[in-house]
Structure formats: structure tokens, C-alpha cells
Amino acid sequence: MKLIEDIIARHKAGERVGVTSVCSAHPLVIEATFAHALRHDVPVVLIEATSNQVNQDGGYTGMVPADFRAFVEGIARRLDFPLDRLALGGDHLGPNAWTALPAEAAMAKAETMIADYVRAGFGKIHLDCSMSCADDPTPLAERTIAERAARLCRVAEDAFVGEPADAPVYVIGTEVPVPGGAAEDLDTLEITSPEAALATVDMHRALFSELGLNAAWARVIATVVQPGVEFDHMKVVDYRPDAAADLSAAIVPVDHLVFEAHSTDYQTAEALSALVRDHFAILKVGPGVTFALREALWALDAIESETVEEGRGDLRAVAIARMHAEPANWRKYYHENGAALDLQLQYSLSDRIRYYWPDPAIVAAQERLFANLRAQVPPLPLLSQHLPLAYAAARAGTATLDPVDLIVAQIGATLDAYHGACHPDA
């Protein structure tokens, strides 16, 4: 995946550049990502799927890796985004979706998934075997994690067929807490120590070598660490460069590796820029962009309630009702009752509502909302009241008053901060 390798090489050579990784399967988020990239002439768009979203069993999106590639490329073609500037990644690829199984059975599933991702053309592979399976101790030993990661890398290398420039690049390591934001209120947040970060790199390097994977090791571009950024339901832990200074310095002498920072959602533009400067050069964002999507949808619902008298979509009410009716995707994360629970269902920064957008009743309500706002175009004062960022884009001529364009503009405002951090000279 030469597009990404080139940016990492430039960063290692001293340029203050990075890569934004958008981890979402929502079509409007992906459309916004491509539209933003076209507007800013971004050299590469990296869109990632997680092992829970997309796997050989369909994941929670119902898509296998080849389906996801076709889905993303279809949106790119519709927007005339060049496919040679698109990179696909797989995040937390390992036994995560099958931890209820014994380790060997879970790893066999993970091997199939890794091979499917590589054969489908995913060029950035995050090898993450940090989770304990049914017959594993908790926590898992570092060597076991690295051995399993090397095992999956062997599968990926054997699955790849193509030109050397298109061979997959790899990311190792994992962050704490688990992907998608903290499930509970944050009391403390421990930054990865330099010693632990380098030990992870050294152990993986040695085990890759034992399996004859030296060529693959040359394509390991990053290791995931905790630089001190996180969010829970209602709070954000902001990046503090002074606290991560020793960790930042530790990666400088390590050939061809930078740090990948997860859970960067909701960080300020200044914090994102500081992260890239400090060699956390791959910035992952997921809930942050779907949160912006939900903000836009709720704003459009409010505009509808003020401008449409009959046949409203009532998207917000429908979505909350469906979340109450089908609580599986939020029950173990949200523990309030009554109005406090409704607050979390709608506004939690972990954004569990993102799992519900494909629900048929919610899709129907959204389609009705869009149809209503196309038939009765929102007046500018209401747009300014409820969607000031999209209003500014409409006034500047970079967005129309179509509801999809307004949503794309709202998500684009979130992506602006990532673009500024990763391409400060653009």
C-alpha cells in the first residue's frame, strides 16, 4: 500500500504529515469523506472496517470484506473520486468477534477473516490478538498476543497476490480501553510507557523473523499505543503533549514505524495537530463522524417539526423507540433510567445509536424526512438556527440546501480538523 507508506516515510523524514483513518460503514459518512477529500485534494482516503463490522460471517453490517469494498467503491465512483487514491483498512483484525470460542477455534476464524480481507484488496491490516478467548487467561500474555499476530501475518502474506507495491502494510499493538470509547466513566487514563511500546515492537519483530516474515516486517508502519486520549459517555480526555513527551520520543529512532492513535474522536484541532507533530501520525476516527451525522439528522428533524405539518418522518422519535425496543447494542454500556437513559441513547459520545441507522423503521423515517425537506426547502434562518456549520457551507456555495448535502457539510466540519492536522501545509 504505497500511498500510505509514502506518507509515513515523509513523516519519518521530518515532515509534519499524517493519515486520517475514517472507521465507519455509514454511506453518508463515507460520502462526506470522499467529498471532503475532493474539495481539499487529499492524496489518499483511508476507510477502515472493524472485525465486528465486516467479516466472513457478515458482521453487524451484513457485509463480508468483498461486499464492503464494492460498497465503498460504489460511493467513490458516484462522486468521481479516483479509486487509485482510495485505501481500505481492516481494524482490530483477530479473534475479537469470536472470543466466546476456545482460542484455536477463534484463531481459525480469524485466519479466514484475514485472508478474506487481503484477497478483497484491503491494504492496511491491523493485527490485534490482544483479547482473551474462552480458554485463555485474562489478561493475555504479551508473547501470546505477538505470536498470534505473527501467525495472522503469515496468513495475510500467503493470501496476497499482486504487485509488490500493492502488498499490505501492517499495524501492530492495541489500545486500552477497548475500541469505540470507554464503556464506563473515565477515572484514570494510563499513557503507554516508552518501555512497553518498544517491547511490543521488539517482540513482534523477533517473532515475525522466526516465521520468515522479514519482508512483511519492512511493511509494518505503526504500533498502536495510548497517548492519553479517550472519551466516555459525556467527557473527553484531551491530549497533553507534556505527559506523552517520553512516549513520543521513543518511536523516533525506530525505522519505518510511527504510532497509531485510536479514540481521537472529539479532540480539538490543536490537539490533533499536536498528536501528528508528536509522531502519532495515524489518527483514527469513528464515533466522532457518526456523532456529527446524528447531530445533522436531529437538526433536520427539528427543522421538519417547524416547517412540515402533516406526514412527518419523526426520525428522532422513531430512532429512540427502536433503541428501546432493541437494546442489545447499548444495554451493557448505558445504565441510566428514564430521561437520563434517553439522554445517553441520543447524545453519548460513544454514539451507540450508530448501530441502529440500518433499522428498516429508522431508514423509512429518514427517507420521509429527506423527502419532506426536499419538497419544502428549509428557510435559511432555520438552517442557521439548527445547523450553523452547514448554513455557513451553503452560504459559501460549497453545499446546497438538499438534506444530504447539509449532512455532508456537517460531517465535513469534523473532518476539517483532521485534515488540518495531517496536512498542515495544504
Side-chain angles (χ1 to χ4, degrees):
M1 183 49 64
K2 193 170 185 304
L3 287 170
I4 296 176
E5 285 184 292
D6 286 349
I7 293 176
I8 299 305
R10 287 168 55 198
H11 184 96
K12 294 297 287 186
E15 285 191 59
R16 194 166 152 181
V17 294
V19 179
T20 302
S21 169
V22 175
C23 193
S24 177
H26 197 287
L28 289 175
V29 169
I30 294 171
E31 178 172 339
T33 302
F34 287 135
H36 186 273
L38 286 169
R39 190 164 66 252
H40 295 282
D41 196 25
V42 174
V44 58
V45 164
L46 173 59
I47 294 176
E48 302 212 38
T50 69
S51 56
N52 285 331
Q53 281 176 324
V54 175
N55 57 49
Q56 68 268 33
D57 299 328
Y60 68 74
T61 64
M63 288 186 277
V64 301
D67 295 335
F68 186 80
R69 177 180 180 174
F71 164 67
V72 172
E73 289 186 347
I75 297 172
R77 288 190 181 96
R78 177 164 56 81
L79 297 178
D80 291 326
F81 184 85
L83 294 184
D84 59 3
R85 287 162 55 191
L86 169 63
L88 295 176
D91 195 28
H92 296 286
L93 299 190
N96 190 46
W98 303 285
T99 54
L101 299 176
E104 271 309 304
M107 283 297 293
K109 297 279 278 186
E111 288 180 334
T112 299
M113 177 182 64
I114 288 275
D116 284 355
Y117 266 80
V118 172
R119 291 188 187 113
F122 286 68
K124 177 179 176 289
I125 303 295
H126 176 203
L127 303 166
D128 182 9
C129 297
S130 60
M131 57 292 300
S132 295
C133 299
D135 56 352
D136 281 329
T138 303
L140 209 55
E142 285 287 336
R143 183 175 180 87
T144 302
I145 294 169
E147 286 173 342
R148 291 177 181 177
R151 172 179 166 180
L152 293 184
C153 183
R154 176 77 277 163
V155 171
E157 290 290 285
D158 290 344
F160 174 73
V161 176
E163 297 298 322
D166 297 325
V169 298
Y170 298 101
V171 175
I172 59 173
T174 194
E175 88 281 20
V176 177
V178 295
E184 305 294 344
D185 287 342
L186 292 173
D187 295 318
T188 60
L189 187 61
E190 185 175 350
I191 295 173
T192 305
S193 71
E195 295 78 15
L198 294 178
T200 294
V201 171
D202 290 343
M203 183 172 291
H204 280 77
R205 183 193 293 114
L207 290 169
F208 274 47
S209 180
E210 287 181 16
L211 290 183
L213 293 168
N214 291 322
W217 180 259
R219 285 180 271 112
V220 175
I221 59 169
T223 182
V224 179
V225 292
Q226 175 51 269
V229 299
E230 191 51 81
F231 58 91
D232 60 18
H233 299 315
M234 300 293 168
K235 299 193 299 292
V236 179
V237 178
D238 291 314
Y239 178 59
R240 291 177 48 228
D242 57 331
D246 290 343
L247 175 61
S248 169
I251 202 69
V252 172
V254 180
D255 288 345
H256 60 80
L257 264 72
V258 296
F259 288 130
E260 179 169 289
H262 291 204
S263 299
T264 68
D265 314 72
Y266 314 111
Q267 293 290 309
T268 65
E270 293 77 14
L272 294 172
S273 293
L275 281 161
V276 173
R277 177 200 65 204
D278 294 344
H279 314 304
F280 305 96
I282 303 175
L283 302 178
K284 297 296 293 291
V285 58
V289 283
T290 52
F291 187 90
L293 165 71
R294 196 270 315 149
E295 285 181 320
L297 288 169
W298 264 214
L300 294 175
D301 176 86
I303 292 172
E304 181 192 48
S305 72
E306 295 196 56
T307 59
V308 177
E309 293 185 4
E310 296 182 358
R312 294 174 184 161
D314 290 325
L315 173 63
R316 180 171 172 174
V318 170
I320 295 170
R322 292 303 299 145
M323 291 184 79
H324 279 292
E326 302 289 343
N329 288 313
W330 59 262
R331 189 185 294 282
K332 68 179 181 179
Y333 301 95
Y334 303 154
H335 308 298
E336 301 291 347
N337 296 294
L341 174 59
D342 282 346
L343 192 72
Q344 286 190 330
L345 291 176
Q346 297 177 77
Y347 301 114
S348 169
L349 296 174
S350 64
D351 194 50
R352 307 301 297 181
I353 198 172
R354 69 187 185 274
Y355 295 97
Y356 292 85
W357 297 128
D359 180 280
I362 296 175
V363 170
Q366 178 182 298
E367 289 176 349
R368 169 60 62 182
L369 169 67
F370 287 3
N372 286 339
L373 295 181
R374 285 170 179 145
Q376 191 160 326
V377 177
L380 285 177
L382 270 186
L383 186 59
S384 178
Q385 173 66 37
H386 294 289
L387 272 173
L389 296 175
Y391 168 82
R395 293 289 291 126
T398 58
T400 73
L401 296 182
D402 185 85
V404 168
D405 250 20
L406 297 174
I407 291 169
V408 165
Q410 180 78 7
I411 297 169
T414 295
L415 294 173
D416 281 344
Y418 285 87
H419 178 69
C422 292
H423 305 282
D425 297 329

